[in-house]
Coordinates of all heavy atoms in Angstrom, one line a residue:
M1089 N -38.5 -49.2 -78.1 CA -39.8 -49.3 -77.6 C -40.3 -50.7 -77.8 O -40.2 -51.3 -78.9 CB -40.7 -48.3 -78.3 CG -42.2 -48.4 -78.1 SD -42.8 -48.4 -76.4 CE -42.3 -46.9 -75.8
A1090 N -40.9 -51.3 -76.8 CA -41.5 -52.6 -76.9 C -43.0 -52.5 -76.5 O -43.4 -51.6 -75.7 CB -40.8 -53.6 -76.0
I1091 N -43.7 -53.4 -77.0 CA -45.2 -53.4 -76.8 C -45.6 -54.9 -76.5 O -45.2 -55.8 -77.2 CB -46.0 -52.8 -77.9 CG1 -47.4 -52.7 -77.6 CG2 -45.7 -53.5 -79.2 CD1 -48.2 -51.8 -78.6
R1092 N -46.3 -55.1 -75.4 CA -46.9 -56.4 -75.1 C -48.4 -56.3 -75.1 O -48.9 -55.4 -74.4 CB -46.4 -57.0 -73.8 CG -44.9 -57.3 -73.8 CD -44.5 -57.8 -72.4 NE -45.0 -57.2 -71.2 CZ -44.6 -56.1 -70.6 NH1 -43.6 -55.4 -71.2 NH2 -45.2 -55.6 -69.6
I1093 N -49.1 -57.2 -75.8 CA -50.6 -57.1 -75.8 C -51.2 -58.4 -75.3 O -50.7 -59.5 -75.7 CB -51.0 -56.8 -77.3 CG1 -50.4 -55.5 -77.8 CG2 -52.5 -56.8 -77.4 CD1 -50.6 -55.2 -79.2
S1094 N -52.2 -58.3 -74.5 CA -53.0 -59.4 -74.1 C -54.4 -59.0 -74.2 O -54.8 -57.8 -74.0 CB -52.6 -59.8 -72.7 OG -52.8 -58.8 -71.7
S1095 N -55.3 -60.0 -74.4 CA -56.7 -59.8 -74.6 C -57.6 -60.7 -73.8 O -57.2 -61.9 -73.7 CB -57.1 -59.9 -76.1 OG -56.4 -58.9 -76.8
T1096 N -58.7 -60.2 -73.4 CA -59.8 -61.1 -72.9 C -61.0 -60.6 -73.6 O -61.0 -59.6 -74.3 CB -60.0 -60.9 -71.4 OG1 -60.5 -59.6 -71.1 CG2 -58.7 -61.1 -70.6
P1097 N -62.2 -61.2 -73.5 CA -63.4 -60.7 -74.2 C -63.8 -59.3 -73.8 O -64.5 -58.6 -74.5 CB -64.4 -61.8 -73.8 CG -63.7 -63.0 -73.5 CD -62.4 -62.6 -72.9
V1098 N -63.4 -58.9 -72.6 CA -63.8 -57.5 -72.1 C -62.7 -56.5 -72.1 O -63.0 -55.3 -71.9 CB -64.5 -57.6 -70.7 CG1 -65.7 -58.4 -70.8 CG2 -63.5 -58.2 -69.7
R1099 N -61.4 -56.9 -72.3 CA -60.3 -55.9 -72.2 C -59.1 -56.3 -73.0 O -58.7 -57.5 -73.0 CB -59.9 -55.7 -70.8 CG -58.7 -54.8 -70.7 CD -58.2 -54.6 -69.3 NE -59.2 -53.9 -68.5 CZ -59.6 -54.3 -67.3 NH1 -59.0 -55.4 -66.7 NH2 -60.5 -53.7 -66.6
V1100 N -58.6 -55.3 -73.7 CA -57.3 -55.4 -74.4 C -56.3 -54.6 -73.5 O -56.6 -53.5 -73.1 CB -57.3 -54.8 -75.8 CG1 -55.9 -54.8 -76.4 CG2 -58.2 -55.6 -76.7
T1101 N -55.2 -55.3 -73.1 CA -54.2 -54.6 -72.3 C -52.9 -54.4 -73.2 O -52.5 -55.4 -73.7 CB -53.8 -55.4 -71.0 OG1 -55.0 -55.5 -70.2 CG2 -52.7 -54.7 -70.2
I1102 N -52.5 -53.2 -73.3 CA -51.3 -52.9 -74.1 C -50.3 -52.3 -73.1 O -50.4 -51.2 -72.6 CB -51.7 -51.9 -75.2 CG1 -52.7 -52.5 -76.1 CG2 -50.4 -51.5 -76.0 CD1 -53.3 -51.5 -77.1
A1103 N -49.2 -53.1 -72.9 CA -48.1 -52.7 -72.0 C -47.0 -52.1 -72.8 O -46.5 -52.8 -73.7 CB -47.7 -53.9 -71.1
L1104 N -46.6 -50.9 -72.6 CA -45.6 -50.2 -73.3 C -44.3 -50.2 -72.5 O -44.4 -50.1 -71.2 CB -46.0 -48.8 -73.7 CG -47.3 -48.7 -74.4 CD1 -47.9 -47.3 -74.4 CD2 -47.2 -49.2 -75.9
S1105 N -43.1 -50.2 -73.1 CA -41.9 -50.0 -72.4 C -40.9 -49.2 -73.3 O -41.0 -49.3 -74.5 CB -41.3 -51.3 -71.9 OG -41.0 -52.1 -73.1
G1106 N -40.0 -48.5 -72.6 CA -39.0 -47.8 -73.3 C -39.5 -46.3 -73.6 O -40.1 -45.8 -72.7
E1107 N -39.1 -45.8 -74.7 CA -39.4 -44.4 -75.0 C -40.6 -44.3 -76.1 O -40.6 -45.1 -77.0 CB -38.2 -43.7 -75.6 CG -37.1 -43.6 -74.6 CD -35.9 -42.9 -75.1 OE1 -35.9 -42.4 -76.2 OE2 -34.9 -42.7 -74.3
I1108 N -41.5 -43.4 -75.9 CA -42.5 -43.1 -76.9 C -42.2 -41.7 -77.5 O -42.3 -40.7 -76.8 CB -43.9 -43.1 -76.3 CG1 -44.2 -44.4 -75.6 CG2 -44.9 -42.8 -77.3 CD1 -45.5 -44.4 -74.8
D1109 N -41.7 -41.7 -78.7 CA -41.4 -40.5 -79.4 C -41.8 -40.6 -80.8 O -42.4 -41.6 -81.3 CB -39.9 -40.1 -79.2 CG -39.0 -41.1 -79.8 OD1 -39.4 -41.9 -80.7 OD2 -37.9 -41.2 -79.3
H1110 N -41.6 -39.5 -81.6 CA -42.0 -39.5 -83.0 C -41.3 -40.5 -83.9 O -41.9 -40.9 -84.9 CB -41.9 -38.1 -83.6 CG -40.5 -37.7 -83.8 ND1 -39.6 -37.2 -82.8 CD2 -39.7 -37.7 -84.9 CE1 -38.5 -36.9 -83.3 NE2 -38.5 -37.2 -84.6
H1111 N -40.2 -41.0 -83.4 CA -39.5 -42.1 -84.2 C -40.2 -43.4 -84.2 O -40.2 -44.2 -85.1 CB -38.1 -42.2 -83.7 CG -37.2 -41.0 -83.9 ND1 -36.8 -40.6 -85.1 CD2 -36.7 -40.2 -83.0 CE1 -36.1 -39.5 -85.0 NE2 -36.0 -39.2 -83.7
N1112 N -40.9 -43.7 -83.1 CA -41.5 -45.1 -83.0 C -43.0 -45.0 -82.8 O -43.6 -46.1 -82.7 CB -40.9 -45.9 -81.8 CG -41.0 -45.2 -80.5 OD1 -41.9 -44.4 -80.3 ND2 -40.1 -45.4 -79.6
A1113 N -43.6 -43.9 -82.8 CA -45.1 -43.7 -82.5 C -45.9 -44.4 -83.6 O -46.9 -45.1 -83.3 CB -45.5 -42.3 -82.4
A1114 N -45.5 -44.3 -84.9 CA -46.3 -44.9 -86.0 C -46.4 -46.4 -85.8 O -47.5 -47.0 -86.0 CB -45.7 -44.5 -87.3
A1115 N -45.3 -47.1 -85.5 CA -45.3 -48.5 -85.3 C -46.1 -48.9 -84.1 O -46.9 -49.9 -84.2 CB -43.8 -49.0 -85.2
L1116 N -46.1 -48.2 -83.1 CA -46.9 -48.4 -81.9 C -48.4 -48.3 -82.2 O -49.2 -49.2 -81.8 CB -46.6 -47.5 -80.7 CG -45.2 -47.6 -80.0 CD1 -45.1 -46.5 -79.0 CD2 -45.1 -48.9 -79.4
R1117 N -48.7 -47.2 -82.9 CA -50.1 -47.0 -83.3 C -50.7 -48.2 -84.1 O -51.7 -48.7 -83.9 CB -50.3 -45.8 -84.1 CG -50.2 -44.5 -83.3 CD -50.6 -43.3 -84.0 NE -49.8 -43.0 -85.2 CZ -48.7 -42.3 -85.3 NH1 -48.3 -41.7 -84.2 NH2 -48.1 -42.1 -86.4
L1118 N -49.9 -48.6 -85.1 CA -50.3 -49.7 -86.0 C -50.5 -51.0 -85.2 O -51.6 -51.6 -85.3 CB -49.2 -50.0 -87.1 CG -49.5 -51.0 -88.1 CD1 -50.8 -50.7 -88.9 CD2 -48.4 -51.2 -89.0
E1119 N -49.6 -51.4 -84.4 CA -49.7 -52.6 -83.6 C -50.9 -52.6 -82.6 O -51.7 -53.5 -82.5 CB -48.4 -52.9 -82.9 CG -48.3 -54.3 -82.4 CD -46.9 -54.7 -81.9 OE1 -45.9 -54.0 -82.2 OE2 -46.8 -55.8 -81.2
A1120 N -51.0 -51.4 -81.9 CA -52.1 -51.3 -80.9 C -53.5 -51.3 -81.6 O -54.4 -51.9 -81.2 CB -51.9 -50.0 -80.2
D1121 N -53.6 -50.6 -82.8 CA -54.8 -50.5 -83.5 C -55.3 -51.8 -84.0 O -56.5 -52.2 -83.9 CB -54.8 -49.5 -84.6 CG -54.7 -48.1 -84.2 OD1 -54.8 -47.8 -82.9 OD2 -54.4 -47.2 -85.0
E1122 N -54.4 -52.6 -84.5 CA -54.7 -54.0 -85.0 C -55.2 -54.8 -83.8 O -56.2 -55.5 -84.0 CB -53.5 -54.6 -85.6 CG -53.1 -54.1 -86.9 CD -51.8 -54.7 -87.5 OE1 -51.2 -55.6 -86.9 OE2 -51.4 -54.2 -88.6
A1123 N -54.6 -54.7 -82.7 CA -55.0 -55.5 -81.5 C -56.4 -55.1 -81.0 O -57.3 -55.9 -80.7 CB -54.0 -55.4 -80.4
I1124 N -56.6 -53.8 -80.9 CA -57.9 -53.2 -80.5 C -59.0 -53.6 -81.4 O -60.1 -54.1 -81.0 CB -57.8 -51.7 -80.3 CG1 -56.9 -51.4 -79.1 CG2 -59.2 -51.1 -80.1 CD1 -56.5 -49.9 -79.0
Q1125 N -58.8 -53.4 -82.7 CA -59.9 -53.7 -83.7 C -60.2 -55.2 -83.8 O -61.3 -55.6 -84.0 CB -59.5 -53.1 -85.0 CG -59.6 -51.6 -84.9 CD -59.0 -50.9 -86.1 OE1 -58.2 -51.4 -86.9 NE2 -59.3 -49.6 -86.2
S1126 N -59.1 -56.0 -83.7 CA -59.4 -57.5 -83.8 C -60.1 -58.0 -82.6 O -60.9 -58.9 -82.7 CB -58.1 -58.3 -84.1 OG -57.2 -58.2 -83.1
A1127 N -59.8 -57.5 -81.4 CA -60.4 -58.0 -80.2 C -61.8 -57.4 -80.0 O -62.7 -58.1 -79.5 CB -59.6 -57.6 -79.0
A1128 N -62.0 -56.2 -80.5 CA -63.3 -55.5 -80.3 C -63.8 -55.5 -78.9 O -65.0 -55.6 -78.6 CB -64.4 -56.0 -81.2
A1129 N -62.9 -55.5 -77.9 CA -63.2 -55.5 -76.5 C -63.7 -54.1 -76.1 O -63.2 -53.1 -76.6 CB -62.0 -56.0 -75.6
P1130 N -64.6 -54.0 -75.2 CA -65.1 -52.7 -74.8 C -64.2 -51.9 -74.0 O -64.4 -50.7 -73.8 CB -66.4 -53.0 -74.0 CG -66.2 -54.4 -73.5 CD -65.3 -55.1 -74.5
N1131 N -63.2 -52.5 -73.4 CA -62.2 -51.7 -72.6 C -60.8 -51.9 -73.0 O -60.4 -53.0 -73.4 CB -62.3 -52.2 -71.1 CG -63.7 -52.0 -70.6 OD1 -64.2 -50.9 -70.5 ND2 -64.4 -53.1 -70.3
V1132 N -60.0 -50.8 -73.0 CA -58.6 -50.9 -73.3 C -57.8 -50.3 -72.2 O -58.1 -49.2 -71.7 CB -58.3 -50.1 -74.6 CG1 -56.8 -50.1 -74.9 CG2 -59.0 -50.8 -75.8
R1133 N -56.8 -51.1 -71.7 CA -55.9 -50.6 -70.7 C -54.5 -50.4 -71.3 O -54.0 -51.3 -71.9 CB -55.8 -51.6 -69.6 CG -54.8 -51.2 -68.5 CD -54.7 -52.2 -67.4 NE -56.0 -52.0 -66.6 CZ -56.5 -52.9 -65.8 NH1 -55.9 -54.1 -65.7 NH2 -57.6 -52.7 -65.1
L1134 N -54.0 -49.1 -71.2 CA -52.7 -48.8 -71.6 C -51.8 -48.7 -70.4 O -52.0 -47.9 -69.6 CB -52.7 -47.4 -72.4 CG -53.6 -47.4 -73.6 CD1 -53.6 -45.9 -74.2 CD2 -53.2 -48.4 -74.7
D1135 N -50.8 -49.6 -70.3 CA -50.0 -49.7 -69.1 C -48.6 -49.0 -69.4 O -47.9 -49.5 -70.3 CB -49.8 -51.2 -68.8 CG -49.1 -51.4 -67.5 OD1 -48.4 -50.4 -67.0 OD2 -49.2 -52.5 -66.9
F1136 N -48.4 -47.9 -68.7 CA -47.2 -47.1 -68.9 C -46.1 -47.4 -67.9 O -45.2 -46.6 -67.7 CB -47.5 -45.7 -68.9 CG -48.0 -45.1 -70.2 CD1 -49.2 -45.6 -70.8 CD2 -47.3 -44.2 -70.9 CE1 -49.7 -45.1 -72.0 CE2 -47.7 -43.7 -72.2 CZ -49.0 -44.1 -72.7
A1137 N -46.2 -48.6 -67.2 CA -45.3 -48.8 -66.0 C -43.8 -48.8 -66.5 O -43.0 -48.3 -65.7 CB -45.6 -50.2 -65.5
D1138 N -43.5 -49.2 -67.6 CA -42.1 -49.3 -68.1 C -41.7 -48.3 -69.1 O -40.7 -48.4 -69.8 CB -41.8 -50.7 -68.6 CG -42.0 -51.8 -67.5 OD1 -41.6 -51.5 -66.3 OD2 -42.5 -52.9 -67.8
V1139 N -42.5 -47.2 -69.2 CA -42.2 -46.1 -70.2 C -41.2 -45.2 -69.5 O -41.5 -44.6 -68.4 CB -43.4 -45.4 -70.6 CG1 -43.1 -44.1 -71.5 CG2 -44.4 -46.3 -71.4
S1140 N -40.0 -45.0 -70.1 CA -38.9 -44.2 -69.5 C -39.0 -42.8 -70.0 O -38.4 -41.9 -69.3 CB -37.6 -44.8 -69.8 OG -37.4 -45.0 -71.2
F1141 N -39.5 -42.5 -71.2 CA -39.6 -41.2 -71.7 C -40.8 -41.1 -72.7 O -41.1 -42.1 -73.3 CB -38.3 -40.9 -72.5 CG -38.4 -39.6 -73.3 CD1 -38.1 -38.4 -72.7 CD2 -38.8 -39.6 -74.7 CE1 -38.2 -37.2 -73.4 CE2 -38.9 -38.5 -75.4 CZ -38.6 -37.2 -74.8
M1142 N -41.4 -39.9 -72.7 CA -42.5 -39.7 -73.6 C -42.5 -38.3 -74.0 O -42.4 -37.4 -73.2 CB -43.8 -40.1 -72.9 CG -45.1 -39.9 -73.8 SD -46.6 -40.2 -72.9 CE -46.9 -38.6 -72.2
D1143 N -42.7 -38.0 -75.3 CA -42.9 -36.6 -75.8 C -44.4 -36.5 -76.2 O -45.2 -37.3 -75.8 CB -41.9 -36.2 -76.9 CG -42.1 -37.0 -78.2 OD1 -43.1 -37.7 -78.3 OD2 -41.2 -36.9 -79.0
S1144 N -44.7 -35.5 -76.9 CA -46.1 -35.3 -77.3 C -46.7 -36.4 -78.1 O -47.9 -36.6 -78.2 CB -46.3 -33.9 -78.0 OG -45.5 -34.0 -79.2
S1145 N -45.8 -37.2 -78.7 CA -46.3 -38.4 -79.5 C -47.1 -39.4 -78.5 O -48.0 -40.1 -79.0 CB -45.1 -39.1 -80.1 OG -44.5 -38.3 -81.0
G1146 N -46.7 -39.4 -77.3 CA -47.4 -40.2 -76.3 C -48.8 -39.8 -76.1 O -49.8 -40.6 -75.9
I1147 N -49.0 -38.4 -76.0 CA -50.3 -37.8 -75.9 C -51.2 -38.2 -77.1 O -52.3 -38.6 -77.0 CB -50.3 -36.3 -75.7 CG1 -49.4 -35.9 -74.5 CG2 -51.6 -35.7 -75.7 CD1 -49.9 -36.3 -73.2
G1148 N -50.6 -38.1 -78.3 CA -51.2 -38.4 -79.5 C -51.6 -39.9 -79.6 O -52.6 -40.3 -80.1
F1149 N -50.7 -40.8 -79.1 CA -51.0 -42.2 -79.0 C -52.2 -42.5 -78.2 O -53.1 -43.2 -78.7 CB -49.8 -42.9 -78.4 CG -50.0 -44.4 -78.3 CD1 -49.9 -45.3 -79.4 CD2 -50.3 -44.9 -77.0 CE1 -50.1 -46.6 -79.2 CE2 -50.5 -46.3 -76.9 CZ -50.4 -47.1 -78.0
V1150 N -52.3 -41.9 -77.0 CA -53.5 -42.1 -76.2 C -54.7 -41.6 -76.8 O -55.8 -42.2 -76.9 CB -53.3 -41.5 -74.8 CG1 -54.6 -41.6 -73.9 CG2 -52.1 -42.2 -74.0
L1151 N -54.7 -40.4 -77.4 CA -55.8 -39.7 -78.0 C -56.3 -40.5 -79.2 O -57.5 -40.7 -79.4 CB -55.4 -38.3 -78.4 CG -56.6 -37.4 -78.9 CD1 -57.7 -37.3 -77.9 CD2 -56.1 -36.1 -79.3
G1152 N -55.4 -41.0 -80.0 CA -55.8 -41.8 -81.2 C -56.5 -43.1 -80.8 O -57.5 -43.5 -81.4
R1153 N -56.0 -43.8 -79.7 CA -56.7 -45.0 -79.3 C -58.0 -44.7 -78.7 O -59.0 -45.4 -78.8 CB -55.8 -45.8 -78.2 CG -54.5 -46.5 -78.6 CD -54.2 -46.6 -80.1 NE -53.7 -45.3 -80.5 CZ -53.6 -44.9 -81.7 NH1 -53.9 -45.6 -82.7 NH2 -53.2 -43.7 -82.0
Y1154 N -58.1 -43.5 -78.0 CA -59.4 -43.1 -77.5 C -60.4 -42.9 -78.6 O -61.6 -43.4 -78.4 CB -59.2 -41.8 -76.7 CG -60.5 -41.1 -76.4 CD1 -61.4 -41.5 -75.4 CD2 -61.0 -40.0 -77.2 CE1 -62.6 -40.9 -75.2 CE2 -62.2 -39.4 -77.0 CZ -63.0 -39.9 -76.0 OH -64.2 -39.3 -75.8
R1155 N -60.0 -42.3 -79.7 CA -61.0 -42.1 -80.8 C -61.5 -43.4 -81.3 O -62.7 -43.5 -81.6 CB -60.3 -41.3 -81.9 CG -60.1 -39.8 -81.4 CD -59.6 -39.0 -82.6 NE -59.4 -37.6 -82.1 CZ -58.3 -36.9 -82.4 NH1 -57.4 -37.4 -83.2 NH2 -58.3 -35.7 -82.0
I1156 N -60.7 -44.4 -81.4 CA -61.1 -45.7 -81.9 C -62.1 -46.4 -81.0 O -63.1 -46.8 -81.3 CB -59.9 -46.6 -82.2 CG1 -59.0 -46.1 -83.3 CG2 -60.3 -48.1 -82.4 CD1 -57.7 -46.8 -83.5
V1157 N -61.7 -46.4 -79.7 CA -62.5 -47.1 -78.7 C -63.8 -46.4 -78.5 O -64.9 -47.0 -78.3 CB -61.7 -47.3 -77.4 CG1 -62.5 -47.9 -76.3 CG2 -60.5 -48.2 -77.7
E1158 N -63.7 -45.1 -78.5 CA -64.9 -44.3 -78.2 C -66.0 -44.4 -79.4 O -67.1 -44.4 -79.2 CB -64.5 -42.8 -78.1 CG -65.6 -41.9 -77.6 CD -66.2 -41.1 -78.7 OE1 -65.7 -41.0 -79.9 OE2 -67.3 -40.5 -78.5
S1159 N -65.5 -44.7 -80.6 CA -66.4 -44.9 -81.7 C -67.3 -46.1 -81.5 O -68.4 -46.1 -82.1 CB -65.6 -45.1 -83.0 OG -64.9 -46.3 -83.1
Y1160 N -66.9 -47.1 -80.7 CA -67.9 -48.2 -80.5 C -68.3 -48.2 -79.0 O -68.7 -49.3 -78.5 CB -67.3 -49.5 -81.0 CG -66.0 -50.0 -80.4 CD1 -65.9 -50.6 -79.1 CD2 -64.8 -49.8 -81.1 CE1 -64.7 -51.0 -78.6 CE2 -63.6 -50.3 -80.6 CZ -63.6 -50.9 -79.3 OH -62.4 -51.3 -78.8
G1161 N -68.2 -47.1 -78.3 CA -68.7 -47.0 -76.9 C -67.8 -47.6 -75.8 O -68.3 -47.8 -74.7
G1162 N -66.6 -47.8 -76.1 CA -65.7 -48.4 -75.1 C -65.0 -47.3 -74.3 O -65.3 -46.1 -74.4
N1163 N -64.1 -47.8 -73.4 CA -63.4 -47.0 -72.4 C -61.9 -47.3 -72.4 O -61.5 -48.4 -72.7 CB -63.9 -47.2 -71.0 CG -65.4 -46.9 -70.9 OD1 -65.8 -45.8 -71.1 ND2 -66.2 -47.9 -70.5
I1164 N -61.2 -46.2 -72.1 CA -59.7 -46.4 -72.0 C -59.3 -46.0 -70.6 O -59.7 -45.0 -70.1 CB -59.0 -45.5 -73.1 CG1 -59.2 -46.1 -74.5 CG2 -57.5 -45.5 -72.7 CD1 -58.2 -45.7 -75.5
E1165 N -58.4 -46.8 -70.1 CA -57.8 -46.6 -68.8 C -56.2 -46.6 -69.0 O -55.7 -47.5 -69.6 CB -58.2 -47.7 -67.9 CG -57.6 -47.7 -66.5 CD -58.0 -48.9 -65.7 OE1 -57.9 -50.1 -66.2 OE2 -58.3 -48.7 -64.5
V1166 N -55.6 -45.5 -68.6 CA -54.1 -45.4 -68.7 C -53.6 -45.5 -67.3 O -53.9 -44.7 -66.4 CB -53.7 -44.0 -69.3 CG1 -52.2 -44.0 -69.5 CG2 -54.5 -43.8 -70.7
V1167 N -52.8 -46.6 -67.1 CA -52.4 -47.0 -65.8 C -50.9 -46.9 -65.6 O -50.1 -46.9 -66.6 CB -52.9 -48.4 -65.4 CG1 -54.4 -48.4 -65.4 CG2 -52.3 -49.5 -66.3
N1168 N -50.5 -46.9 -64.3 CA -49.0 -47.0 -63.9 C -48.2 -45.8 -64.5 O -47.1 -46.0 -64.9 CB -48.4 -48.3 -64.3 CG -49.0 -49.5 -63.5 OD1 -49.2 -49.3 -62.3 ND2 -49.3 -50.6 -64.2
L1169 N -48.8 -44.6 -64.5 CA -48.1 -43.5 -65.0 C -47.2 -42.9 -63.9 O -47.6 -42.8 -62.7 CB -49.1 -42.4 -65.3 CG -50.0 -42.6 -66.5 CD1 -51.2 -41.7 -66.5 CD2 -49.2 -42.4 -67.8
S1170 N -46.0 -42.6 -64.3 CA -45.1 -41.9 -63.3 C -45.7 -40.5 -63.1 O -46.6 -40.1 -63.8 CB -43.7 -41.7 -64.0 OG -43.8 -40.8 -65.1
D1171 N -45.2 -39.9 -62.0 CA -45.7 -38.6 -61.7 C -45.6 -37.6 -62.8 O -46.5 -36.8 -63.1 CB -45.0 -38.0 -60.4 CG -45.4 -38.8 -59.2 OD1 -46.4 -39.4 -59.1 OD2 -44.6 -38.7 -58.2
R1172 N -44.5 -37.6 -63.5 CA -44.2 -36.7 -64.6 C -45.2 -37.0 -65.8 O -45.8 -36.1 -66.3 CB -42.8 -36.9 -65.1 CG -42.4 -35.8 -66.1 CD -40.9 -36.0 -66.6 NE -40.6 -37.2 -67.2 CZ -40.9 -37.6 -68.4 NH1 -41.5 -36.7 -69.2 NH2 -40.5 -38.7 -68.9
L1173 N -45.4 -38.3 -66.1 CA -46.3 -38.6 -67.2 C -47.7 -38.3 -66.9 O -48.5 -37.8 -67.7 CB -46.1 -40.0 -67.7 CG -44.7 -40.4 -68.3 CD1 -44.7 -41.9 -68.7 CD2 -44.4 -39.5 -69.4
F1174 N -48.1 -38.6 -65.6 CA -49.4 -38.3 -65.1 C -49.7 -36.8 -65.3 O -50.7 -36.4 -65.8 CB -49.6 -38.7 -63.7 CG -50.9 -38.5 -63.1 CD1 -51.9 -39.5 -63.4 CD2 -51.3 -37.5 -62.3 CE1 -53.2 -39.3 -62.8 CE2 -52.5 -37.3 -61.8 CZ -53.5 -38.2 -62.0
S1175 N -48.7 -35.9 -64.9 CA -48.9 -34.5 -65.0 C -49.0 -34.0 -66.4 O -49.8 -33.2 -66.8 CB -47.7 -33.8 -64.3 OG -47.7 -34.0 -62.9
M1176 N -48.2 -34.6 -67.3 CA -48.3 -34.3 -68.7 C -49.6 -34.6 -69.3 O -50.2 -33.8 -70.0 CB -47.2 -35.1 -69.5 CG -45.8 -34.6 -69.4 SD -44.6 -35.6 -70.3 CE -45.1 -35.3 -72.0
M1177 N -50.2 -35.7 -69.0 CA -51.5 -36.1 -69.5 C -52.6 -35.3 -69.0 O -53.5 -34.9 -69.7 CB -51.7 -37.6 -69.3 CG -50.8 -38.4 -70.2 SD -51.3 -40.1 -70.3 CE -50.0 -40.8 -71.2
K1178 N -52.5 -34.9 -67.7 CA -53.5 -34.0 -67.1 C -53.4 -32.6 -67.7 O -54.5 -32.1 -68.1 CB -53.3 -33.9 -65.6 CG -53.9 -35.1 -64.9 CD -54.0 -34.9 -63.4 CE -55.1 -33.8 -63.2 NZ -55.8 -33.9 -61.9
L1179 N -52.2 -32.1 -67.9 CA -52.1 -30.8 -68.6 C -52.6 -30.8 -70.0 O -53.2 -29.8 -70.5 CB -50.6 -30.4 -68.6 CG -50.0 -29.9 -67.3 CD1 -48.5 -29.7 -67.4 CD2 -50.7 -28.6 -66.9
A1180 N -52.6 -32.0 -70.7 CA -53.1 -32.1 -72.0 C -54.6 -32.2 -72.0 O -55.2 -32.2 -73.1 CB -52.4 -33.3 -72.7
G1181 N -55.2 -32.4 -70.8 CA -56.7 -32.5 -70.7 C -57.2 -33.9 -71.0 O -58.4 -34.1 -71.1
L1182 N -56.3 -34.9 -71.0 CA -56.7 -36.3 -71.2 C -57.6 -36.9 -70.1 O -58.4 -37.8 -70.4 CB -55.5 -37.2 -71.4 CG -54.8 -37.0 -72.8 CD1 -53.6 -38.0 -72.9 CD2 -55.7 -37.2 -74.0
E1183 N -57.6 -36.3 -68.9 CA -58.4 -36.9 -67.8 C -59.9 -36.7 -68.1 O -60.7 -37.3 -67.5 CB -58.0 -36.3 -66.5 CG -58.6 -35.0 -66.1 CD -57.8 -33.8 -66.7 OE1 -56.8 -34.0 -67.5 OE2 -58.2 -32.7 -66.4
K1184 N -60.2 -35.8 -69.0 CA -61.6 -35.5 -69.4 C -62.1 -36.6 -70.4 O -63.3 -36.8 -70.6 CB -61.7 -34.2 -70.1 CG -61.4 -33.0 -69.2 CD -61.4 -31.7 -69.9 CE -60.9 -30.6 -69.0 NZ -60.5 -29.4 -69.7
L1185 N -61.2 -37.4 -71.0 CA -61.5 -38.4 -72.0 C -61.3 -39.8 -71.5 O -62.0 -40.7 -71.9 CB -60.7 -38.2 -73.3 CG -60.8 -36.8 -73.9 CD1 -59.9 -36.6 -75.1 CD2 -62.3 -36.5 -74.3
V1186 N -60.2 -40.0 -70.8 CA -59.8 -41.4 -70.3 C -59.6 -41.4 -68.8 O -59.4 -40.3 -68.2 CB -58.5 -41.8 -71.1 CG1 -58.7 -41.8 -72.6 CG2 -57.3 -41.0 -70.7
T1187 N -59.5 -42.5 -68.2 CA -59.2 -42.7 -66.8 C -57.7 -42.7 -66.7 O -57.0 -43.5 -67.4 CB -59.8 -44.0 -66.2 OG1 -61.2 -43.9 -66.4 CG2 -59.4 -44.1 -64.8
L1188 N -57.1 -41.8 -65.9 CA -55.6 -41.8 -65.7 C -55.4 -42.3 -64.2 O -56.0 -41.9 -63.3 CB -55.1 -40.4 -65.8 CG -55.3 -39.7 -67.1 CD1 -54.8 -38.2 -67.0 CD2 -54.6 -40.4 -68.2
K1189 N -54.4 -43.2 -64.1 CA -54.0 -43.7 -62.8 C -52.5 -43.7 -62.7 O -51.8 -44.3 -63.5 CB -54.5 -45.2 -62.6 CG -56.0 -45.2 -62.6 CD -56.5 -46.7 -62.3 CE -58.0 -46.7 -62.2 NZ -58.5 -48.0 -61.9
A1190 N -52.0 -43.1 -61.6 CA -50.6 -43.0 -61.4 C -50.1 -44.3 -60.7 O -50.9 -45.1 -60.2 CB -50.3 -41.8 -60.5
K1191 N -48.8 -44.5 -60.8 CA -48.1 -45.6 -60.1 C -48.4 -45.4 -58.6 O -48.4 -44.3 -58.1 CB -46.7 -45.7 -60.3 CG -46.3 -46.1 -61.7 CD -44.7 -46.2 -61.8 CE -44.3 -46.6 -63.2 NZ -42.9 -46.6 -63.3
H1192 N -48.5 -46.5 -57.9 CA -48.7 -46.4 -56.4 C -47.3 -46.6 -55.7 O -46.4 -47.1 -56.1 CB -49.6 -47.5 -55.9 CG -51.0 -47.4 -56.5 ND1 -51.8 -46.3 -56.2 CD2 -51.7 -48.1 -57.4 CE1 -53.0 -46.4 -56.8 NE2 -52.9 -47.5 -57.6

């Protein structure tokens, strides 16, 4: 699992690649949380374009970042989801909390 982070004053973009599972979720959370908290940008974009596999740890990853960003009134957008990941996130009810966007 690799993570690339970029920031502007209004958005932190976290691009994930590889697999998101219970083996690597803790490291992902730590790195993402540090970037989000240090930037304090009102918007966070989680880019799943290069995620090849995700178990329930991916749902937890999104939900945890939502809780942080929501605590200061920000928004989360999860983009470039494959059809399978988009369906998983919808079934988990995440569309009620964050913006979900499938790959085009």
Side-chain angles (χ1 to χ4, degrees):
M1089 170 53 61
I1091 186 170
R1092 291 180 323 277
I1093 299 170
S1094 59
S1095 298
T1096 69
V1098 296
R1099 177 182 293 131
V1100 174
T1101 299
I1102 300 170
L1104 305 163
S1105 63
E1107 298 184 359
I1108 302 174
D1109 58 26
H1110 71 279
H1111 295 292
N1112 58 27
L1116 289 176
R1117 287 191 299 267
L1118 181 63
E1119 196 169 345
D1121 291 353
E1122 288 175 1
I1124 291 167
Q1125 291 169 343
S1126 67
N1131 301 296
V1132 173
R1133 176 177 286 158
L1134 302 176
D1135 188 339
F1136 277 66
D1138 296 322
V1139 173
S1140 57
F1141 172 83
M1142 179 185 88
D1143 65 12
S1144 62
S1145 300
I1147 302 293
F1149 176 80
V1150 173
L1151 188 56
R1153 288 354 74 202
Y1154 164 76
R1155 288 184 182 137
I1156 292 169
V1157 174
E1158 191 256 347
S1159 72
Y1160 60 80
N1163 299 300
I1164 290 203
E1165 177 182 46
V1166 184
V1167 300
N1168 293 318
L1169 291 163
S1170 68
D1171 290 340
R1172 188 178 62 78
L1173 296 182
F1174 185 80
S1175 294
M1176 284 177 67
M1177 291 197 186
K1178 281 193 69 151
L1179 284 171
L1182 288 180
E1183 82 278 4
K1184 297 172 186 163
L1185 304 174
V1186 303
T1187 301
L1188 300 177
K1189 295 184 178 178
K1191 286 182 185 176
H1192 296 292

